[in-house]
Amino acid sequence: MTRGTAPFTVRPMRETDLDETAHILWEGFREDPVWGPAFPEHPERAAHAIAHWRFMADQAVRRGEPLVAELPDGSLGAVSTWFPPGEDEIAADDLGAYEQLLRGTIGDVAAEALLGEGDLFAEARPTAPHAYLSLLAVSPVARGLGIGMRLVAAALERYDAAGLQTYLESSNPANDARYERLGYVRAKQVNIPGSPTVQTYLRQPAAG
């Protein structure tokens, strides 16, 4: 698939992509207003965050519909983790392992804060069936080329064909206008203690 100025191929995320995906998510969210502070300053901060993002990407590969943008050299330019209706970004059976991972890396206080944020995000999600874009990140070498939004647009083609609304949380206001250009409209706001307010977005399927 080629859109805009940078060529890439859209394909499903695979288990073999997990390490590269985790690093892209770390780089994509390390300065994020919400996700950056979730990983406290520590000599192993990068390792802690990468372990978290790998866990999340693994959940998407096993139960979701994640997509990646593969560049001509075989590297990944962007990653997106989508979940179909009825699926959460962390399976109920894996919540214990997730909490154990957090407590063993970022510590109890930061773990409690991050788990609390997860609860707030879950409460804000629509009750009507929807596809959920939980994470979107672009590789540092591919930034500024529009690949991230073009990867989202590729997924929207699938959900439009299925007549399914989609939902996301914008943790960085710098991205709001980009989502709105794709047809997303503002929904609820999530107020996280000590963090900026997060705007959520809904998009109704485009007519065929």
Side-chain angles (χ1 to χ4, degrees):
M1 172 180 294
T2 302
R3 297 180 180 177
T5 59
F8 63 90
T9 300
V10 175
R11 64 166 175 81
M13 185 188 296
R14 301 187 286 253
E15 187 175 355
T16 53
D17 298 319
L18 291 179
D19 289 338
E20 186 174 4
T21 292
H23 281 82
I24 291 173
L25 290 168
W26 156 239
E27 293 292 347
F29 287 105
R30 65 188 299 178
E31 303 299 333
D32 185 85
V34 174
W35 283 107
F39 302 97
E41 290 299 330
H42 186 279
E44 298 297 321
R45 180 179 182 236
H48 294 167
I50 288 168
H52 170 269
W53 293 126
R54 195 182 193 283
F55 185 99
M56 301 300 284
D58 180 64
Q59 291 286 302
V61 167
R62 291 196 286 121
R63 299 180 300 97
E65 299 172 331
L67 295 176
V68 299
E70 185 176 295
L71 301 177
D73 66 359
S75 65
L76 301 185
V79 299
S80 59
T81 59
W82 291 90
F83 290 86
E87 290 287 356
D88 293 323
E89 58 183 341
I90 301 174
D93 290 346
D94 293 329
L95 287 172
Y98 179 62
E99 180 174 349
Q100 184 177 15
L101 170 68
L102 294 180
R103 294 186 184 281
T105 53
I106 61 177
D108 290 341
V109 174
E112 288 290 346
L114 191 50
L115 292 167
E117 290 177 17
D119 291 340
L120 292 174
F121 284 132
E123 291 170 5
R125 283 181 62 180
T127 56
H130 62 278
Y132 173 37
L133 174 59
S134 65
L135 297 169
L136 173 70
V138 178
S139 168
V141 300
R143 289 177 187 164
L145 302 176
I147 289 178
M149 290 301 117
R150 287 151 56 198
L151 182 60
V152 174
L156 293 179
E157 293 177 3
R158 171 175 64 188
Y159 296 122
D160 284 349
L164 190 62
Q165 68 177 342
T166 61
Y167 173 80
L168 61 85
E169 303 121 357
S170 179
S171 59
N172 189 338
N175 294 322
D176 290 0
R178 298 185 179 101
Y179 292 126
E180 290 169 10
R181 283 195 291 270
L182 291 177
Y184 280 94
V185 297
R186 294 174 181 245
K188 295 180 180 180
Q189 291 186 326
V190 180
N191 297 306
I192 299 172
S195 294
T197 297
V198 173
Q199 181 66 56
T200 71
Y201 281 92
L202 266 174
R203 179 184 181 276
Q204 297 304 316

